[in-house]
Amino acid sequence: MVTDASTRLDDVELDADPKTAAINNSQIAYALMGSWPDATMRGRNIAADSRFWRDDTLGCEAHRERVLAQLRDLVSVGTPLLAFPEEFGGAADNGANLAVFQELFLADPSLQIKSGVQFGLFASAILHLGTETHHRRWLPGALSVEVPGAFAMTESGHGSNVAGLATTATYDEHTEEWVINTPFRLAWKDYLGNAAKDGTAAVVFAQLITRGMNHGVHAFYVPIRDENGEFLPGIGGEDDGVKGGLNGIDNGRLHFDHVRIPRDHLLNRYGDVDAAGTYTSPIESPGRRFFVMTGTLVQGRVSLDGAATVAQKAALSIGVTYANQRRQFDNAKSGRETVLLDYTRHQHRLIPRIATAYAATFAHDELLREFDAVFSGEHDTPERRSDLETLAAALKPLSTWQGMDTLQEVREACGGAGFLAENRIVGLHHDLDVYTTFEGDNNVLLQLVGKRLLDDFAAKFKDADARETARMVVTQTAARAFREIGLARLGGLATDLGNPARSVGWLREPDNQRALLAARVEDEIAEIGTYLARFVKKTPAERADALNSQQDRLIRAARCYAELIQWEAFTRKLESFDATTDDHKVMCWLRDLYGLGLINRDLDWYLLSGRLTVKRARLVGSYIDRLVSRLRPLAQQLVDAFGYGPEHLRAVIASGAEQQWQDEAHAHYEQLRASGQMPKPEPRPKRR
Amino acid sequence: MVTDASTRLDDVELDADPKTAAINNSQIAYALMGSWPDATMRGRNIAADSRFWRDDTLGCEAHRERVLAQLRDLVSVGTPLLAFPEEFGGAADNGANLAVFQELFLADPSLQIKSGVQFGLFASAILHLGTETHHRRWLPGALSVEVPGAFAMTESGHGSNVAGLATTATYDEHTEEWVINTPFRLAWKDYLGNAAKDGTAAVVFAQLITRGMNHGVHAFYVPIRDENGEFLPGIGGEDDGVKGGLNGIDNGRLHFDHVRIPRDHLLNRYGDVDAAGTYTSPIESPGRRFFVMTGTLVQGRVSLDGAATVAQKAALSIGVTYANQRRQFDNAKSGRETVLLDYTRHQHRLIPRIATAYAATFAHDELLREFDAVFSGEHDTPERRSDLETLAAALKPLSTWQGMDTLQEVREACGGAGFLAENRIVGLHHDLDVYTTFEGDNNVLLQLVGKRLLDDFAAKFKDADARETARMVVTQTAARAFREIGLARLGGLATDLGNPARSVGWLREPDNQRALLAARVEDEIAEIGTYLARFVKKTPAERADALNSQQDRLIRAARCYAELIQWEAFTRKLESFDATTDDHKVMCWLRDLYGLGLINRDLDWYLLSGRLTVKRARLVGSYIDRLVSRLRPLAQQLVDAFGYGPEHLRAVIASGAEQQWQDEAHAHYEQLRASGQMPKPEPRPKRR
């Protein structure tokens, strides 16, 4: 970040906005609740119910037991069934289901993910990959948790590369059975919730082989333990042991030694074999079939995106509340010690992250609406599904990383107190950690997004000679043109040269922010695409090498794309506020803080691409400073609007205790002073 | 980071260095061991001894018991006494003591910090703040751990602001006793190792009050528990409970209700009272006295800097080893899946962090040497002490943040496996977390460094009218001059315009890297200093406000200063390598990667300050790409040189198991293929 003391905004009047504003919390709080406010409240009520709280004093075993019991309690509340059909007690309401689910993070992330495994993966696989018989046979047990189940997709050797799974399901037409087999150690199913202890069945993903042909990965329903909790014959496993977090879940490994299951245990919605072993599928292309079958995984990504926004908001609620009460080091003005949030360093650590949490929350709500539109069947087209998958693949990495970053910054900003479990932050941080790599590794997901962006770029030039056109167009972009003439001219041509207020006004224009953030993505993708176009006629190995050479850059561009999506969602959300109110003004400040923060982080790119003049670039940091100091008095209200009370946060330092203790200490000294009993300070020696 | 596909270095020959090099591991490993190689080996041997290992399966209570037993075992090994005088069984070797200590991180960070509390804080306070009688009376018990002791400095209300401690020690001349008292809740001693359970005594820091005068914070030896582990009368406390890490340590709170201790329990080296209550001190100024008494805390900071370099190296040893064995996604060239470290994204995640770990290690060794020079008494001058404190205050924040960053990146780079305790990363990460805020909060320490830099800047202009001169000088700096004319001219004047090789050559010159990194600090400090000079004659409140307005920027400048120190240390260390060898060449690449990485991160600053031309700036990222790909084949050797074997790392994924399993999987498919039993893939449907 570049700021410049010599052009600090104290010295120049840069915009006409007042120094502060009065906001209406309930209005903002409602906007933050998103499109399923009732479901969100239901989720928050569960998180506020002590039955569902995490108990930090429990060891791993006891924690697991508590979470299993909580999972069953959750069934009695009814929310886990929301997404299931009415005939199974549900409401077929996908959006509401996830709106509840994401709030469970504040009960205990272990409970959240345990319920995600049971209902979102195990039962959902039966629902989405199975057919009517399967639903009637297995859904009741799954939904009542009479049958805790594992979702046995990942193997020790294959996480991101699901198509490469090594477990086989070979059809034996003599007995009309499937033979499930684990050929080597890396083919063990691994990291599965419910596998180490509780699971009595599993949906096992394996290569379907019949008549000597491999039809790719399919799902099979496999009972794994008997009523005494012992593995069934041919099945073995291991406990994954202690983990970095989520220790209320019994993650473990499973392996299968020629385990036989009946033919109809194949979840056969997208592929089936008849008694004789003939394979049929409603989807002709094995590639497309694979993507359709794994497409339901998007639900997990959408839900983690939501959980990550909850993590950000909870962390900031704790961190800002404490920073507004905690004092350290004498203040010459007040005679008391200084409140932490009055330090500009502390402001810069917390306030921009509030803006990020707002952006992430608004973007998540759009994602959830799109998810609901597709999964409800209302808008279930291949194009919408594909867009939904790209959107989820973009937002889940971004928000989980933001969540980790915010939790860690808040942890440190609370000092030693932040390190105590009683203040909640470390526990949430440890649990959230794995959200960055499960249900799609963040880097792998962003690479998918990047490839989609490249495809879209290439598609623009389909009709003409793709390579040549692309090359020409890129050469003509402003970016390239600027690059050729260098920054020199640009600086000279800019009409706002010498007028900071006009520069700031330009930076505040949403259209300009959008254009900058979009250029950051589009120019990069255009350059990468143009580079790759040179290799179109080369060998697959050469093409792969060329793509690999751009991988780091491509993933960064995809992240910038995700950030643009968050910025856009924030900007769209502004329309829901009355433009004449302070609420609207403050939301604009927050949006500007988010957008300009992104631009400031990549300021070198904006300068080198010629997208920003030197004059404007220099003002970005200064205007951010101004926004931060303007938002400082509103910080508490802005985090209170997240809607989390002490029953959700359960952090001693955010309970008001700190304020009470500070007041007690202050009163003590006031009284001592008044009574004349205050010891005199030792005088400083006189200088000689 | 800005790179540019159109000027990728594949297309231009940029330097004459070969594509790869053969290095001599033992030479590099020895350089990394630092100035106390024997002590380092002793420390590593302890870390490799299963008696001292952490057991992840233990709950909090059992973990605490194990660590207390280990602490006593450590005494029998003898190393904790190294820094103590020979008459108490020590060797008066401060450097060797810390060289051992920092390696204990890989035994169990809880054991490391528990021993730090007992020997480095509790016993050290008796040694450094007490006098001969105290040494003879209390050191034997402390050093044998017969008396586990707490270092009762921090209070719930005061961590960073030690001068503001609220606990009082009031002298009662009638009984010749001290009355230790806790006036309110925030004055409870807090976060103290040994306080919750094991400690039977404490060194308590309190405001010394005698005859109605407060002489500031002094240390008192206070027994706290009887032989049955019960608190002595007037003393109470609480367990801090579960923490984010270091759960083998019984951190807790203590409070004192008018607890009386004999007069000679004041550790009286720097301040004493006679029977009648008259206070005397060899240090006249209360301010200087305070800094001398708290000056021994620097030992903790030096040791944490060392531990943080160990954390970085262990994380990278695990992460790079796994990345060289783990495979995911088919590779068109090899027919097998691709090794993770062959992905350029993965290279960019790990390889620059190897360079950082080298820089941090070499800088730490210089810090340790300086610490030893001062604490041995060999060079114990106020100036050297002050420099040592600044150096430690700069490096400890930087290396602990680097350690956290590297552990987290490695955690994610290892996917789900990285989240399992059996692979060690999460445990080390959780434990290291608090290193960023204890023994001096990182931001507070960097602020101290920043203020020192400002003082040095101001001192340059002492003779003339400080404000005016400073203003003038800054106006004349190159930075300002460039700013006035804009970047335009610079780009045009640069002699290397249009010649990438010459630009890269310029960037590779150590003098140029140094000048850039130094300018990043000096220009910033000069600007902040000049701005603050305007307020010299203002009120203290206005001056404080002005400083606060620059705080965020000042702390960032201080961090850049710490990075410059690491870069300088790396550069000095290059001299120990024969310049004709590949070792030297590779170390130069690593140093360049570290230095250019810093420059690349702040590229916007270098552009806006005119310190880098557009042409050169654009090549920084490209040359980093080249260095990374050149170092890729050496990555394993570079982490092996850290010297940690399986007995130190104790991570299943770095044990060779992954390689064995990958080979097993590969052999399985090879055999299947050879036997003709491999199922055929389902053919893709023909396009219609």
Side-chain angles (χ1 to χ4, degrees):
Chain A
M1 191 195 280
V2 171
T3 56
D4 184 343
S6 65
T7 58
R8 284 192 65 76
L9 302 193
D10 314 339
D11 307 327
V12 213
E13 197 45 56
L14 283 165
D15 61 356
D17 281 353
K19 289 231 164 173
T20 185
I23 55 177
N24 175 345
N25 254 39
S26 59
Q27 172 86 7
I28 295 173
Y30 187 74
L32 285 160
M33 288 186 64
S35 304
W36 283 267
D38 294 337
T40 299
M41 281 311 300
R42 282 187 81 176
R44 289 187 186 169
N45 289 340
I46 296 170
D49 181 340
S50 59
R51 274 190 298 166
F52 298 109
W53 290 357
R54 170 165 171 175
D55 177 350
D56 288 314
T57 64
L58 299 180
C60 208
E61 283 312 309
H63 189 189
R64 286 178 175 185
E65 277 168 36
R66 179 176 171 87
V67 167
L68 179 63
Q70 288 173 329
L71 185 68
R72 292 187 160 131
D73 278 350
L74 204 55
V75 175
S76 71
V77 174
T79 51
L81 276 64
L82 280 170
F84 289 87
E86 288 172 19
E87 62 173 302
F88 297 102
D93 190 340
N94 289 280
N97 177 54
L98 293 197
V100 173
F101 177 85
Q102 54 212 32
E103 300 293 329
L104 298 186
F105 188 77
L106 291 183
D108 179 348
S110 285
L111 174 61
Q112 179 182 54
I113 299 305
K114 183 94 171 178
S115 86
V117 168
Q118 181 70 18
F119 306 106
L121 294 173
F122 175 65
S124 275
I126 297 168
L127 178 67
H128 291 291
L129 303 180
T131 45
E132 226 184 304
T133 334
H134 300 134
H135 299 167
R136 282 201 304 269
R137 207 189 311 170
W138 294 318
L139 272 184
L143 295 179
S144 67
V145 197
E146 194 188 314
V147 180
F151 184 77
M153 177 180 270
T154 296
E155 296 174 357
S156 299
H158 287 99
S160 295
N161 181 10
V162 174
L165 292 178
T167 302
T168 51
T170 309
Y171 185 64
D172 179 348
E173 64 268 35
H174 305 300
T175 61
E176 296 188 23
E177 285 173 324
W178 295 102
V179 182
I180 310 286
N181 193 51
T182 305
F184 44 74
R185 175 60 186 82
L186 280 183
W188 285 23
K189 296 295 176 181
D190 206 345
Y191 313 107
L192 320 174
N194 278 337
K197 196 173 133 280
D198 298 331
T200 56
V203 169
V204 177
F205 289 80
Q207 304 287 348
L208 185 159
I209 297 164
T210 180
R211 295 181 169 180
M213 185 172 284
N214 183 345
H215 294 275
V217 171
H218 287 65
F220 301 81
Y221 186 93
V222 185
I224 60 170
R225 282 191 176 88
D226 63 21
E227 58 276 17
N228 303 317
E230 301 296 323
F231 277 127
L232 294 173
I235 297 178
E238 245 178 34
D239 197 319
D240 275 326
V242 181
K243 303 183 297 294
L246 298 186
N247 278 308
I249 307 176
D250 58 326
N251 293 83
R253 303 172 178 130
L254 295 175
H255 50 83
F256 305 89
D257 182 8
H258 299 89
V259 171
R260 288 177 170 265
I261 52 170
R263 178 169 68 95
D264 66 359
H265 278 216
L266 165 65
L267 297 175
N268 62 348
R269 178 165 170 194
Y270 297 111
D272 203 0
V273 297
D274 62 17
T278 307
Y279 181 85
T280 51
S281 169
I283 304 174
E284 198 185 6
S285 151
R288 231 184 73 68
R289 193 189 309 140
F290 174 76
F291 285 112
V292 168
M293 283 201 275
T294 53
T296 55
L297 290 175
V298 77
Q299 173 170 256
R301 291 167 193 165
V302 174
S303 73
L304 298 192
D305 181 56
T309 69
V310 172
Q312 293 177 48
K313 289 180 280 192
L316 289 162
S317 298
I318 296 169
V320 168
T321 301
Y322 185 60
N324 265 325
Q325 298 179 2
R326 175 74 173 178
R327 292 165 182 272
Q328 201 78 174
F329 291 112
D330 293 329
N331 183 312
K333 226 183 314 186
S334 70
R336 294 183 66 174
E337 290 187 277
T338 307
V339 165
L340 293 192
L341 201 55
D342 283 340
Y343 291 108
T344 59
R345 171 68 172 165
H346 220 82
Q347 291 165 15
H348 277 85
R349 293 169 77 180
L350 298 182
I351 293 172
R353 288 179 170 88
I354 298 176
T356 300
Y358 273 76
T361 300
F362 296 142
H364 170 70
D365 189 54
E366 293 195 354
L367 171 62
L368 191 55
R369 284 209 305 272
E370 185 63 19
F371 166 74
D372 185 72
V374 170
F375 272 61
S376 68
E378 205 179 328
H379 296 286
D380 190 3
T381 63
E383 293 69 33
R384 288 287 282 264
R385 277 215 176 236
S386 166
D387 286 352
L388 169 66
E389 279 167 20
T390 302
L391 197 59
L395 290 178
K396 178 264 185 185
L398 181 57
S399 61
T400 53
W401 276 331
Q402 289 167 339
M404 288 296 287
D405 166 71
T406 294
L407 279 161
Q408 183 62 25
E409 196 65 45
V410 168
R411 192 319 264 157
E412 295 181 30
C414 295
F419 196 59
L420 302 186
E422 67 175 34
N423 292 318
R424 206 77 198 288
I425 308 158
V426 284
L428 295 178
H429 187 253
H430 296 175
D431 288 332
L432 188 71
D433 189 357
V434 78
Y435 290 49
T436 62
T437 54
F438 72 2
E439 298 287 317
D441 175 89
N442 280 2
N443 278 288
V444 174
L445 290 179
L446 286 181
Q447 173 156 302
L448 287 177
V449 174
K451 284 183 178 165
R452 168 73 188 270
L453 293 172
L454 283 173
D455 286 348
D456 289 355
F457 172 76
K460 287 187 193 158
F461 308 106
K462 238 178 191 165
D463 300 329
D465 179 337
R467 275 190 301 158
E468 275 316 302
T469 313
R471 217 177 260 168
M472 197 181 69
V473 169
V474 173
T475 314
Q476 289 171 346
T477 61
R480 177 54 48 92
F482 292 154
R483 206 162 280 162
E484 297 304 325
I485 61 170
L487 291 175
R489 288 255 212 104
L490 246 197
L493 290 173
T495 53
D496 56 12
L497 192 70
N499 184 337
R502 225 177 293 160
S503 283
V504 165
W506 189 87
L507 288 168
R508 291 175 71 198
E509 277 298 320
D511 285 348
N512 293 330
Q513 287 178 31
R514 179 184 291 111
L516 291 171
L517 294 170
R520 178 78 181 87
V521 180
E522 287 165 9
D523 289 7
E524 287 284 284
I525 293 296
E527 284 198 10
I528 298 169
T530 310
Y531 175 80
L532 294 179
R534 296 190 215 165
F535 296 85
V536 165
K537 292 183 181 163
K538 300 290 176 67
T539 66
E542 284 169 315
R543 287 208 307 273
D545 278 350
L547 181 61
N548 188 27
S549 77
Q550 301 296 310
Q551 188 194 31
D552 189 49
R553 200 179 169 198
L554 182 64
I555 287 173
R556 277 183 283 123
R559 186 182 164 133
C560 291
Y561 175 70
E563 290 162 343
L564 171 62
I565 292 171
Q566 284 192 344
W567 182 93
E568 292 271 14
F570 201 151
T571 301
R572 273 189 291 271
K573 191 72 185 182
L574 293 176
E575 292 165 18
S576 71
F577 291 89
D578 177 347
T580 65
T581 61
D582 273 8
D583 290 357
H584 183 266
K585 196 192 300 292
V586 170
M587 289 297 106
C588 285
W589 290 347
L590 270 183
R591 191 274 320 272
D592 289 350
L593 181 57
Y594 181 64
L596 295 175
L598 297 174
I599 291 164
N600 203 37
R601 183 197 62 199
D602 292 341
L603 208 55
D604 56 343
W605 185 88
Y606 289 101
L607 283 163
L608 289 176
S609 66
R611 292 281 174 180
L612 273 184
T613 62
V614 169
K615 192 82 204 170
R616 283 174 180 160
R618 197 165 287 145
L619 282 166
V620 175
S622 302
Y623 190 61
I624 286 173
D625 286 351
R626 161 155 292 200
L627 285 172
V628 166
S629 75
R630 215 177 246 166
L631 289 163
R632 188 267 169 265
L634 302 169
Q636 190 68 49
Q637 277 182 281
L638 290 171
V639 299
D640 288 347
F642 292 148
Y644 296 122
E647 68 282 13
H648 301 109
L649 302 177
R650 307 195 294 281
V652 176
I653 50 171
S655 68
E658 182 69 24
Q659 186 64 53
Q660 187 190 324
W661 294 343
Q662 291 285 350
D663 291 344
E664 181 201 3
H666 184 60
H668 170 83
Y669 287 122
E670 288 293 293
Q671 199 206 335
L672 211 57
R673 220 168 266 129
S675 71
Q677 300 294 309
M678 182 78 118
K680 292 173 303 223
E682 181 183 330
R684 290 190 197 182
K686 284 170 195 139
R687 290 202 190 160
R688 276 160 250 185
Chain B
M1 190 195 279
V2 172
T3 56
D4 184 342
S6 65
T7 59
R8 284 192 64 77
L9 302 194
D10 314 338
D11 308 326
V12 213
E13 195 47 55
L14 282 165
D15 62 356
D17 280 353
K19 289 231 165 172
T20 186
I23 55 177
N24 174 346
N25 254 40
S26 59
Q27 172 87 7
I28 294 173
Y30 187 75
L32 285 161
M33 288 186 63
S35 304
W36 282 268
D38 293 338
T40 298
M41 280 311 300
R42 282 186 80 176
R44 288 186 187 171
N45 288 340
I46 295 170
D49 181 340
S50 59
R51 275 189 299 165
F52 298 109
W53 290 357
R54 168 166 173 174
D55 176 351
D56 289 313
T57 64
L58 299 180
C60 209
E61 282 312 308
H63 190 189
R64 286 178 175 187
E65 278 168 35
R66 179 177 170 89
V67 167
L68 179 64
Q70 289 173 328
L71 185 69
R72 293 190 157 126
D73 279 350
L74 204 56
V75 174
S76 70
V77 174
T79 51
L81 276 64
L82 279 170
F84 289 87
E86 288 172 17
E87 61 173 304
F88 297 103
D93 190 340
N94 289 280
N97 177 53
L98 292 197
V100 172
F101 177 85
Q102 55 213 30
E103 300 293 329
L104 298 186
F105 188 77
L106 291 184
D108 179 350
S110 285
L111 174 60
Q112 179 182 54
I113 298 305
K114 183 95 170 177
S115 86
V117 168
Q118 181 69 16
F119 305 107
L121 293 173
F122 175 64
S124 276
I126 297 169
L127 177 68
H128 292 291
L129 303 179
T131 46
E132 227 184 305
T133 333
H134 301 134
H135 299 167
R136 280 199 306 268
R137 208 188 311 171
W138 294 319
L139 273 184
L143 296 178
S144 68
V145 198
E146 196 188 313
V147 180
F151 184 77
M153 179 180 269
T154 296
E155 296 174 356
S156 300
H158 287 99
S160 295
N161 181 11
V162 174
L165 292 178
T167 303
T168 52
T170 309
Y171 185 64
D172 178 349
E173 62 266 35
H174 305 298
T175 61
E176 297 188 23
E177 286 173 322
W178 295 102
V179 181
I180 310 286
N181 192 50
T182 305
F184 43 74
R185 175 61 186 81
L186 280 183
W188 285 23
K189 296 295 176 182
D190 206 345
Y191 312 107
L192 319 174
N194 278 337
K197 195 172 134 278
D198 298 331
T200 57
V203 169
V204 176
F205 289 79
Q207 305 286 348
L208 185 159
I209 297 164
T210 181
R211 296 183 169 179
M213 185 172 283
N214 183 346
H215 294 276
V217 171
H218 288 65
F220 301 82
Y221 186 94
V222 185
I224 59 170
R225 282 192 178 87
D226 63 20
E227 57 277 15
N228 304 317
E230 301 297 323
F231 276 128
L232 294 173
I235 297 177
E238 245 177 37
D239 197 319
D240 275 325
V242 180
K243 303 184 297 295
L246 297 185
N247 278 307
I249 307 177
D250 59 326
N251 293 82
R253 304 172 178 130
L254 294 176
H255 50 83
F256 305 89
D257 182 7
H258 299 89
V259 171
R260 289 178 168 266
I261 52 170
R263 178 169 68 93
D264 67 358
H265 278 215
L266 165 65
L267 298 176
N268 63 348
R269 178 165 170 193
Y270 298 111
D272 204 358
V273 296
D274 63 17
T278 308
Y279 180 84
T280 53
S281 168
I283 305 174
E284 199 185 3
S285 152
R288 230 183 74 67
R289 193 189 309 139
F290 174 75
F291 284 112
V292 169
M293 284 201 276
T294 53
T296 54
L297 290 176
V298 76
Q299 174 169 256
R301 293 168 192 165
V302 174
S303 72
L304 298 192
D305 181 58
T309 68
V310 172
Q312 292 177 47
K313 288 180 280 192
L316 289 162
S317 298
I318 296 169
V320 169
T321 301
Y322 186 60
N324 265 324
Q325 298 178 2
R326 175 74 172 179
R327 291 165 183 273
Q328 200 80 173
F329 291 111
D330 293 329
N331 183 311
K333 224 184 316 188
S334 71
R336 294 183 68 174
E337 289 187 278
T338 306
V339 166
L340 293 192
L341 202 56
D342 284 341
Y343 290 109
T344 60
R345 172 69 173 166
H346 220 81
Q347 292 165 16
H348 277 85
R349 294 170 76 180
L350 298 181
I351 293 173
R353 290 179 168 87
I354 299 176
T356 300
Y358 273 75
T361 300
F362 295 143
H364 171 70
D365 190 54
E366 293 195 355
L367 172 62
L368 191 55
R369 284 210 305 273
E370 186 63 19
F371 167 74
D372 186 72
V374 170
F375 272 61
S376 68
E378 205 178 329
H379 296 287
D380 189 2
T381 63
E383 292 70 30
R384 290 287 284 263
R385 276 215 176 239
S386 167
D387 286 352
L388 169 65
E389 280 167 21
T390 303
L391 198 59
L395 290 179
K396 178 265 185 184
L398 181 57
S399 61
T400 52
W401 275 332
Q402 289 167 338
M404 288 295 287
D405 165 72
T406 294
L407 278 161
Q408 183 62 26
E409 195 65 45
V410 167
R411 190 324 262 155
E412 295 181 31
C414 295
F419 196 58
L420 302 186
E422 66 174 37
N423 292 319
R424 206 77 197 288
I425 306 158
V426 283
L428 295 178
H429 186 253
H430 297 176
D431 288 332
L432 187 72
D433 188 358
V434 78
Y435 289 49
T436 62
T437 54
F438 73 2
E439 299 286 318
D441 175 90
N442 281 2
N443 279 290
V444 174
L445 290 179
L446 287 181
Q447 174 157 301
L448 287 177
V449 173
K451 284 183 178 164
R452 168 72 188 269
L453 293 171
L454 283 174
D455 287 347
D456 289 355
F457 171 75
K460 286 187 193 158
F461 310 106
K462 239 180 191 162
D463 299 329
D465 177 335
R467 274 191 302 157
E468 275 315 303
T469 313
R471 217 177 259 168
M472 196 181 69
V473 169
V474 172
T475 314
Q476 288 172 346
T477 60
R480 178 54 49 92
F482 292 154
R483 207 162 280 162
E484 297 305 325
I485 59 170
L487 291 174
R489 288 253 213 106
L490 246 198
L493 291 172
T495 52
D496 56 12
L497 192 69
N499 184 337
R502 227 178 289 160
S503 283
V504 167
W506 189 88
L507 288 169
R508 292 176 70 198
E509 277 298 321
D511 285 348
N512 293 332
Q513 287 178 32
R514 179 184 293 109
L516 291 171
L517 295 170
R520 178 79 182 84
V521 180
E522 287 164 10
D523 290 7
E524 286 284 285
I525 294 295
E527 284 197 9
I528 298 168
T530 310
Y531 175 80
L532 295 179
R534 296 190 214 164
F535 296 85
V536 166
K537 293 183 183 162
K538 300 289 176 67
T539 66
E542 284 168 317
R543 288 208 307 274
D545 279 351
L547 181 62
N548 189 26
S549 77
Q550 302 296 310
Q551 188 193 30
D552 189 49
R553 199 179 171 199
L554 182 64
I555 288 174
R556 276 183 283 123
R559 184 180 165 137
C560 292
Y561 175 70
E563 290 162 343
L564 171 62
I565 293 171
Q566 284 191 343
W567 183 92
E568 291 273 13
F570 202 151
T571 301
R572 273 188 290 273
K573 191 71 184 181
L574 293 176
E575 291 164 19
S576 71
F577 291 90
D578 177 348
T580 65
T581 62
D582 272 8
D583 291 357
H584 183 265
K585 194 192 300 295
V586 170
M587 289 297 107
C588 285
W589 290 347
L590 271 184
R591 191 276 319 274
D592 289 349
L593 181 56
Y594 180 64
L596 295 175
L598 297 174
I599 291 164
N600 203 39
R601 184 197 61 197
D602 292 341
L603 208 55
D604 55 344
W605 185 89
Y606 289 100
L607 283 163
L608 288 176
S609 65
R611 293 279 174 181
L612 273 182
T613 62
V614 169
K615 192 82 204 171
R616 282 172 181 160
R618 196 166 286 146
L619 283 166
V620 174
S622 301
Y623 191 60
I624 286 173
D625 286 352
R626 163 156 290 201
L627 285 172
V628 167
S629 75
R630 217 178 243 164
L631 288 164
R632 189 268 168 264
L634 301 169
Q636 190 67 49
Q637 277 183 280
L638 290 170
V639 299
D640 288 347
F642 291 148
Y644 296 122
E647 68 282 14
H648 301 110
L649 303 177
R650 307 195 294 281
V652 176
I653 49 170
S655 69
E658 182 69 25
Q659 186 65 52
Q660 186 190 322
W661 294 342
Q662 291 285 350
D663 291 345
E664 181 202 2
H666 184 60
H668 170 83
Y669 288 122
E670 289 292 294
Q671 198 206 334
L672 211 57
R673 220 168 268 128
S675 71
Q677 299 295 307
M678 183 77 119
K680 291 174 304 226
E682 182 183 330
R684 291 191 197 179
K686 284 171 196 139
R687 290 201 189 159
R688 276 162 248 184

